[in-house]
Amino acid sequence: MRGEETEAETDEGDEGPGRVARISGSHWPLTVLGPGRRLGIWFQGCPLACAGCMSRHTWDAAGGQQWPVAELLALWREALAAGAEGLTVSGGEPLAQPEALARLLAGAARTRGAAEADLLLYTGYTEAEVAADEARARAVRHADALVTGRYVAARATDLVWRGSANQRLVPRTPLGTARYAPHLERRATGRTLQTAGRGAALALYGVPRPGELAALETDLRNAGVELTDPSWRAG
């Protein structure tokens, strides 16, 4: 065990900060945020609050639910047993909870063993902002790839898995390079949104193309379904 990794790699049952995360939700199998079938976990709370964000329900730091990181890792183990090809962590802003994120990614890296299941992290912070903050830098240590940068609605892009042209897909490990290098300049084709029902609610996952959410609302209205308080509209 390398000494510089001991804090991030302590067992999820140990005492210390970051044992519990505030989480907006999770989904398996996720197919629109990274390659293959993945477990998706969304952290709750975002201090960046990018204009035009489709996930405003994840902004409130007091929203969502508290999850022990050990239980999130149990979801990951179940997903791996079901053939998961990766874990995607988004938000909200995961780096607003750096200790919990560090524990989650360290535990996920440990748990995957020899499986080539990659760990992809979305953050609104730039690489420079991550590197300049010790807690953030420690939290991303086990990520195989990052998608970095604020969402800028005026800079729409069709680059796969990114919402605006300023956002960067950054492989960080040999596995990350093998998995993501072919996609650095690839344009999105086919479905970019995935839907799932949650009782009376409709959950959407992915990166919508410009106008896609408005078109979805129109299609649903024409089918007799009216959306109430969609998360991409300002309150």
Side-chain angles (χ1 to χ4, degrees):
M1 180 183 294
R2 296 190 296 275
E4 70 273 17
E5 294 185 357
T6 54
E7 182 175 350
E9 292 190 350
T10 53
D11 185 81
E12 58 267 23
D14 287 352
E15 296 297 330
R19 295 178 62 211
V20 176
R22 187 161 286 276
I23 298 297
S24 174
S26 64
H27 186 70
W28 162 263
L30 181 69
T31 59
V32 290
L33 292 174
R37 285 158 48 91
R38 315 178 65 81
L39 173 64
I41 295 175
W42 287 265
F43 275 56
Q44 181 72 25
C46 182
L48 303 178
C50 299
C53 173
M54 71 175 280
S55 303
R56 291 170 181 263
H57 64 291
T58 68
W59 287 5
D60 183 0
Q65 294 183 324
Q66 288 194 337
W67 278 69
V69 172
E71 292 187 11
L72 296 174
L73 290 172
L75 292 180
W76 174 231
R77 286 191 290 271
E78 291 173 5
L80 287 170
E85 297 167 73
L87 169 67
T88 296
V89 180
S90 187
E93 173 49 64
L95 285 173
Q97 302 179 62
E99 295 88 358
L101 178 62
R103 280 183 175 269
L104 174 62
L105 292 180
R110 223 175 25 249
T111 303
R112 67 185 169 187
E116 292 194 349
D118 70 89
L119 310 180
L120 172 65
L121 172 68
Y122 278 79
T123 174
Y125 291 106
T126 65
E127 293 167 82
E129 289 173 322
V130 172
D133 184 277
E134 182 179 351
R136 294 175 193 158
R138 185 167 57 248
V140 306
R141 181 176 295 151
H142 291 278
D144 294 298
L146 304 177
V147 175
T148 65
R150 313 292 195 273
Y151 170 67
V152 180
R155 300 192 62 188
T157 184
D158 60 358
L159 288 171
V160 70
W161 306 320
R162 281 150 283 181
S164 57
N166 60 294
Q167 293 179 322
R168 299 191 64 231
L169 175 58
V170 185
R172 303 183 71 252
T173 66
L175 175 58
T177 298
R179 188 64 56 85
Y180 290 94
H183 304 289
L184 297 181
E185 301 299 328
R186 185 169 73 82
R187 307 291 167 173
T189 58
R191 294 178 57 198
T192 62
L193 285 179
Q194 181 178 352
T195 61
R198 290 183 178 175
L202 176 68
L204 297 178
Y205 308 109
V207 181
R209 296 188 177 95
E212 192 169 2
L213 294 175
L216 174 65
E217 287 192 73
T218 299
D219 289 344
L220 289 173
R221 190 177 303 114
N222 291 338
V225 178
E226 192 73 28
L227 294 182
T228 303
D229 298 326
S231 61
W232 53 86
R233 282 204 206 124

